[in-house]
Amino acid sequence: MPFATTSALRLLSSRNSLYSLSLRKFVFADKGPFLLSLSVASSAMDFNSSHTLVLCGKSTAENEIAKSIKSTNALKLPDNGDVSILLQSELERPLKEDEYSFSIDSFMNCLSTNQFGRFLIWSPRLPSTHDVVSRNFCELPIGTVCVADVQSKGRGRSKNVWDSPIGCLMFSFTVQMEDGRTVPLLQYVVSLAITEAVKDVCDKNGLPCADVKIKWPNDLYLNGLKIGGILCTSTYKSKKFNVSVGIGLNVDNQKPTTCLNAVLREHSDVAYRFSRQEILAAFFNKFERFYDLFIDQGFQSLEELYLKTWLHSEQRVILQEKNEDQVVENVVTIQGLTSSGYLLAIGDDNQMYELHPDGNSFDFFKGLVRRKLD
C-alpha cells in the first residue's frame, strides 16, 4: 500500500526543488507576516541558527496549551537543533503584509472546525513541517497543523528531499486512528479535501473553477501539470495509529510547472489572488466533514466524488510481467479502487485485478503488479 511505504508528496523529483534547481538561497527579510524583534528575525532567517516556532490557538483553551508547551520547551526537531518558541501574542504588530504573507489571524477567522487546524505552529523557515509534527506528535493536540513559509528538507518517497521557497503552501497535521484497515485510505480523503477546498475558494470569490485533479495515489495536478502532493506516515502506539499528514501545494510559484495563481491569471482578469491561509482554512473545513463521514460510514461515502476528481477512470494500463524468460505485456482498464485502497482494474479477459505498485518505480503507473480478485 502506498501509505505503508510512505510513497507520497513527490512535488517534482528527488533532485528538483519546487522552484528551480539553480535557486538555493532565498531572500526572506520582508516577506513574513509578522515583524519579529530584530534579533529573532535575523536568527530565524539564518540557515545555521535556531528555528523559530510561533504557537497560536483558535480558542482560549488552545492558547493555554500553547503557553504550557512554551513553558516546558517541549517541542524538538529530529536533529536536536535549537528551537525558539514564541506565542503569537509575543509578536510585534506587522509593519505591512503582502501577497506572500501568511496571516495567522486571517487563517483563524476563516476556520470553522471543531478539531483540525485549531492549534497552529507557524515558522518562517523549517527543514520540514512533517518532521515537526511527527517528532512531537504526543506533545501536541490531535489536529495540530504546522506551516512553514520556507522549507529546506521537505520529505517525500524513499527519503527524497527538496527546497520549497515562498509561495508554496507547505503544512503537516496530526490525525489519530484506531482501525488499521482504514489508515491507508486516509491519503485519499486528504487528496479529495484539498481539491474540493480549492473549488470552494473559487466559488466563494466568484472565480472560474481551478479544477485540481488527483493522480493516484497522492499527486495533485492542474491543467495536466503537477502542482502538489500528499505524504502520510504513521506509527503504532498504545493501540492507536498516530498519523502525520503532509501537503505541498504550489500556490504562487509559476516555475517549474505552474501554480494556482498563474492559472487564475490565464482565465480571469480579477485582482484576486489565492492566499495560503484561505486555502488552508478551506482545506480543514472540508477535511473535517469528509473525515467524519469516512470514520462513520467508510470510504464508500466519498468514493463517487473521489472518482469524479481523479484522472484514471477507464485509463488503459500496460502491465509488463515475466513469464519464464520472456516479458509479456497485458492491458487492463482501471475501474476504481479496491476496499484496501489499491487500483481495481479489469483485463481484456474480463477478469478483475487489484494493481499494486512494485515499489521500484518512481512513477506508480510503471511497474504495477496485478493480483487476481475472486
Side-chain angles (χ1 to χ4, degrees):
M1 188 63 220
F3 189 104
T5 58
T6 66
S7 41
L9 192 51
R10 294 173 288 119
L11 293 180
L12 283 177
S13 75
S14 61
R15 297 183 181 178
N16 289 351
S17 77
L18 190 59
Y19 187 61
S20 171
L21 281 171
S22 62
L23 296 183
R24 291 296 183 183
K25 297 181 180 179
F26 312 110
V27 178
F28 187 76
D30 295 323
K31 299 299 187 182
F34 295 101
L35 175 66
L36 308 182
S37 68
L38 181 61
S39 61
V40 173
S42 298
S43 65
M45 305 312 152
D46 187 337
F47 283 30
N48 298 314
S49 64
S50 66
H51 297 279
T52 302
L53 304 179
V54 179
L55 311 185
C56 178
K58 185 170 176 65
S59 70
T60 300
E62 286 134 3
N63 280 317
E64 289 300 316
I65 294 173
K67 292 178 182 178
S68 175
I69 289 176
K70 181 187 177 182
S71 66
T72 58
N73 199 29
L75 301 184
K76 307 296 181 184
L77 292 180
D79 58 2
N80 293 318
D82 293 334
V83 178
S84 175
I85 299 176
L86 294 174
L87 305 179
Q88 185 195 9
S89 58
E90 295 173 330
L91 296 174
E92 299 178 16
R93 296 177 64 84
L95 289 178
K96 66 177 182 177
E97 292 190 3
D98 58 31
E99 66 269 24
Y100 297 107
S101 300
F102 185 88
S103 169
I104 295 177
D105 288 337
S106 177
F107 165 70
M108 289 297 180
N109 289 336
C110 293
L111 190 69
S112 60
T113 61
N114 294 317
Q115 182 179 37
F116 291 101
R118 294 177 63 91
F119 189 86
L120 172 74
I121 303 171
W122 169 78
S123 179
R125 177 181 173 81
L126 282 174
S128 166
T129 61
H130 204 85
D131 285 345
V132 171
V133 298
S134 59
R135 173 68 171 81
N136 301 285
F137 196 102
C138 296
E139 306 296 334
L140 300 169
I142 299 302
T144 292
V145 58
C146 179
V147 184
D149 291 338
V150 171
Q151 184 173 257
S152 59
K153 295 180 180 179
R155 293 180 57 187
R157 185 186 180 202
S158 301
K159 299 181 180 180
N160 295 314
V161 297
W162 61 87
D163 288 340
S164 304
I166 294 293
C168 308
L169 173 59
M170 298 161 291
F171 67 99
S172 301
F173 67 100
T174 60
V175 183
Q176 195 167 66
M177 304 176 69
E178 296 183 357
D179 187 351
R181 294 170 297 180
T182 64
V183 171
L185 298 168
L186 178 65
Q187 62 184 333
Y188 306 143
V189 181
V190 174
S191 301
L192 182 59
I194 195 70
T195 64
E196 292 298 300
V198 174
K199 292 175 186 175
D200 281 358
V201 172
C202 291
D203 290 344
K204 176 183 174 183
N205 293 282
L207 304 171
C209 178
D211 194 13
V212 179
K213 294 292 188 180
I214 299 166
K215 180 184 177 184
W216 184 87
N218 39 37
D219 287 335
L220 303 171
Y221 273 66
L222 182 60
N223 291 353
L225 297 172
K226 189 173 181 177
I227 63 164
I230 319 297
L231 168 68
C232 294
T233 60
S234 70
T235 58
Y236 186 68
K237 186 176 181 180
S238 301
K239 298 183 178 180
K240 292 184 178 180
F241 292 89
N242 295 336
V243 186
S244 301
V245 180
I247 297 178
L249 182 67
N250 202 346
V251 176
D252 207 31
N253 278 317
Q254 191 166 350
K255 296 180 180 180
T257 57
T258 190
C259 64
L260 289 175
N261 279 327
V263 173
L264 178 62
R265 288 192 295 270
E266 292 173 3
H267 295 91
S268 175
D269 58 0
V270 299
Y272 174 87
R273 296 172 67 87
F274 289 103
S275 68
R276 292 179 297 149
Q277 60 269 8
E278 188 175 17
I279 292 176
L280 183 60
F283 166 77
F284 280 120
N285 294 341
K286 184 67 71 174
F287 172 77
E288 186 163 279
R289 292 195 289 273
F290 284 174
Y291 182 74
D292 288 344
L293 278 173
F294 172 55
I295 295 300
D296 292 342
Q297 303 177 26
F299 187 72
Q300 294 85 348
S301 60
L302 300 169
E303 189 168 8
E304 182 178 354
L305 181 58
Y306 179 88
L307 295 181
K308 288 180 179 179
T309 308
W310 80 340
L311 296 169
H312 309 299
S313 295
E314 300 302 319
Q315 178 180 342
R316 301 273 284 176
V317 177
I318 298 175
L319 304 179
Q320 293 183 335
E321 299 171 315
K322 282 189 176 182
N323 184 3
E324 295 181 351
D325 294 332
Q326 294 184 331
V327 176
V328 179
E329 292 189 346
N330 294 289
V331 179
V332 297
T333 304
I334 296 174
Q335 303 293 300
L337 295 172
T338 66
S339 60
S340 56
Y342 293 107
L343 292 174
L344 176 66
I346 185 171
D348 291 340
D349 56 358
N350 290 323
Q351 171 69 46
M352 301 302 295
Y353 295 95
E354 184 177 70
L355 306 183
H356 300 233
D358 67 359
N360 296 318
S361 174
F362 199 65
D363 185 341
F364 281 97
F365 287 86
K366 293 180 180 178
L368 284 169
V369 177
R370 65 176 179 170
R371 181 177 69 87
K372 279 188 178 181
L373 295 176
D374 296 330

